């Protein structure tokens, strides 16, 4: 009972800390090497559009700058769109990146996209476009749920832990997917173009679970021992212009059969959905701890490049 009480307190503190941090600019690891030895594209490469019109936490010149630079160095042309999604900004675009979208309500867990936007993106993908949808623990799962549902992808909406398949130095919500534990799929995103690009070991950094439709591939499959802590209704309090959101995770449910990354074909297009956003970051936290593509001993960097290349049909 004492362990459960301590863990519940830790979950509450992590939820509050996340909320206090949401509005701040996230720094990246300036020492992270974004060079690409063998770029996939030459000349006028494909256009990658970052959606930044939905209160996105992760931006191409913010927390996701290392990922954006990797794409540029792989031969892509990176653009940013800060308004509602409409046909005009998607013209000529090969890949749409939606990362860390938040809802318009105080708790940020309302749908981030209108029905018109989700319908537009669905049609655009099924006509040959590609979507990289990056979600995370609450509130990001609920905010992205309506867009993901257009492609048959379900959101767990909580916070996943797995004591048996986690990095012991990072904690139970930092999950390890490896060749050894059998949780990595046999897929081009994992195999890469050649042996040097093969993904052998990935770590995630506290996210939600996702589930794909029939025919999809669970790139990062959760083990039978994984559980997902469920969010309870948030409490919003106001003090003038200041808004405070408190949320406590409630009971856990089994996450068996779910994943933290799925890939699928949708009509003529392709979709990858991630349940953890830090996979595509490269950040140094206090004490020098590396989070994301710069985490030593893991292949989150090649996973990021391979996912983009598969979506852009270079794999």
């Amino acid at each position: 009972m004492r362990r459960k009480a301590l863990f519940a307190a830790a979950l509450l503190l992590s939820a509050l800390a996340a909320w206090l941090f949401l509005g701040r600019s996230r720094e990246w690891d300036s020492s992270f090497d974004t060079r690409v030895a063998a770029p996939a594209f030459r000349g006028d490469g494909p256009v990658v559009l970052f959606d930044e019109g939905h209160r996105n936490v992760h931006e191409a010149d913010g927390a996701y700058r290392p990922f954006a630079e990797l794409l540029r160095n792989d031969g892509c042309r990176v653009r940013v769109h800060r308004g509602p999604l409409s046909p005009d900004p998607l013209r000529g675009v090969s890949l749409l990146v939606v990362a860390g979208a938040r809802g318009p309500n105080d708790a940020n867990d309302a749908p981030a996209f209108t029905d018109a936007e989700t319908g537009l993106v669905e049609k655009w993908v099924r006509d040959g476009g590609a979507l990289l949808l990056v979600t995370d623990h609450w509130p990001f799962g609920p905010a992205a749920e309506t867009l993901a549902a257009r492609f048959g992808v379900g959101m767990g909406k909580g916070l996943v832990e797995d004591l048996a398949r986690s990095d012991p130095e990072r904690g139970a919500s930092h999950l390890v997917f490896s060749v050894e534990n059998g949780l990595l799929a046999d897929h081009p995103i994992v195999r890469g173009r050649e042996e040097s690009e093969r993904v052998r070991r990935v770590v995630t950094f506290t996210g939600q679970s996702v589930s794909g439709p029939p025919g999809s591939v669970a790139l990062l499959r959760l083990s039978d021992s994984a559980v997902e802590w469920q969010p309870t209704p948030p409490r919003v309090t106001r003090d003038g212009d200041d808004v405070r959101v408190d949320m406590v995770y409630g009971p856990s449910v089994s996450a068996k059969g779910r994943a933290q990354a799925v890939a699928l074909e949708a009509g003529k297009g392709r979709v990858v959905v991630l349940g953890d956003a830090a996979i595509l970051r490269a950040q140094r936290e206090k004490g020098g701890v590396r989070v994301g593509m710069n985490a030593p001993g893991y292949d989150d960097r090649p996973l990021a490049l391979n996912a983009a290349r598969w979506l852009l049909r270079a794999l």
Side-chain angles (χ1 to χ4, degrees):
M1 289 298 293
R2 184 170 182 271
R3 181 187 179 279
K4 286 186 177 180
L6 290 172
F7 181 68
L11 284 178
L12 171 59
L13 288 173
S14 68
L16 293 179
W19 278 107
L20 292 172
F21 197 55
L22 280 177
R24 301 179 188 174
S25 174
R26 294 191 175 186
E27 299 297 328
W28 57 89
D29 181 358
S30 60
S31 68
F32 177 67
D33 187 0
T34 61
R35 292 175 296 179
V36 177
F41 307 101
R42 302 285 184 179
D44 290 335
V47 174
V48 178
L49 183 70
F50 276 73
D51 162 52
E52 295 184 5
H54 296 87
R55 306 179 71 200
N56 306 71
V57 172
H58 307 296
E59 299 178 339
D61 198 33
Y64 268 27
R65 180 168 175 173
F67 179 53
E69 287 299 312
L70 266 184
L71 295 176
R72 290 188 180 101
N73 291 334
D74 205 33
C76 298
R77 292 175 287 164
V78 175
R79 298 177 184 170
V80 170
H81 178 66
R82 295 189 173 91
L85 292 172
S86 62
D88 282 347
L90 288 175
R91 287 194 178 95
V93 172
S94 297
L95 170 60
L96 173 64
V97 178
V98 177
R102 291 180 286 167
N105 61 328
D106 286 338
N108 292 338
D109 59 357
F113 303 91
T114 65
D115 289 345
E117 287 177 307
T118 61
L120 169 71
V121 173
E122 179 186 12
K123 183 179 186 305
W124 177 79
V125 169
R126 294 188 185 280
D127 286 346
L131 171 66
L132 174 58
L133 177 59
V134 185
T135 69
D136 214 316
H137 55 73
W138 182 92
F140 300 101
E145 186 173 26
T146 57
L147 179 56
R150 289 281 185 170
F151 303 98
V153 176
M155 307 277 101
K157 296 183 279 190
L159 184 154
V160 176
E161 283 201 327
D162 189 346
L163 286 169
R165 299 290 187 273
S166 58
D167 184 322
E169 294 185 2
R170 294 176 182 265
S173 63
H174 294 67
L175 310 186
V176 176
F177 305 84
S178 67
V179 172
E180 289 76 19
N181 65 25
L183 300 180
L184 282 175
D186 181 19
H187 188 274
I189 291 176
V190 174
R191 295 193 297 268
R193 297 177 300 181
E194 57 185 40
E195 191 62 24
S196 65
E197 297 174 352
R198 179 176 286 273
V199 175
R200 293 177 174 81
R201 197 165 186 252
V202 170
V203 62
T204 60
F205 303 86
T206 307
Q208 68 158 345
S209 73
V210 297
S211 62
S216 64
V217 176
L219 298 172
L220 306 179
R221 182 176 60 82
L222 292 170
S223 80
D224 292 354
S225 58
V227 298
E228 186 155 10
W229 297 89
Q230 299 298 290
T232 62
R235 182 167 60 89
V236 179
T237 55
R238 285 182 169 274
D239 183 6
D241 293 334
D242 294 329
V243 178
R244 178 187 176 94
V245 180
D246 297 335
M247 192 282 291
V248 180
Y249 285 101
S252 65
V253 298
S254 173
K256 177 181 177 180
R258 300 178 68 83
Q260 282 206 300
V262 296
L264 60 129
E265 306 271 355
K268 298 177 181 178
R270 290 178 170 180
V271 177
V272 168
V273 180
L274 303 182
D276 173 58
I279 300 173
L280 303 184
R281 283 164 49 197
Q283 180 182 340
R284 275 185 184 267
E285 296 189 338
K286 289 182 179 180
V289 177
R290 297 177 182 181
V291 174
M293 297 184 291
N294 57 346
Y298 293 101
D299 298 325
D300 292 34
R301 184 187 195 276
L303 179 76
L305 266 181
N306 290 350
R309 289 169 176 171
W310 181 78
L311 286 164
L312 292 167
R313 299 187 180 274
L315 271 182

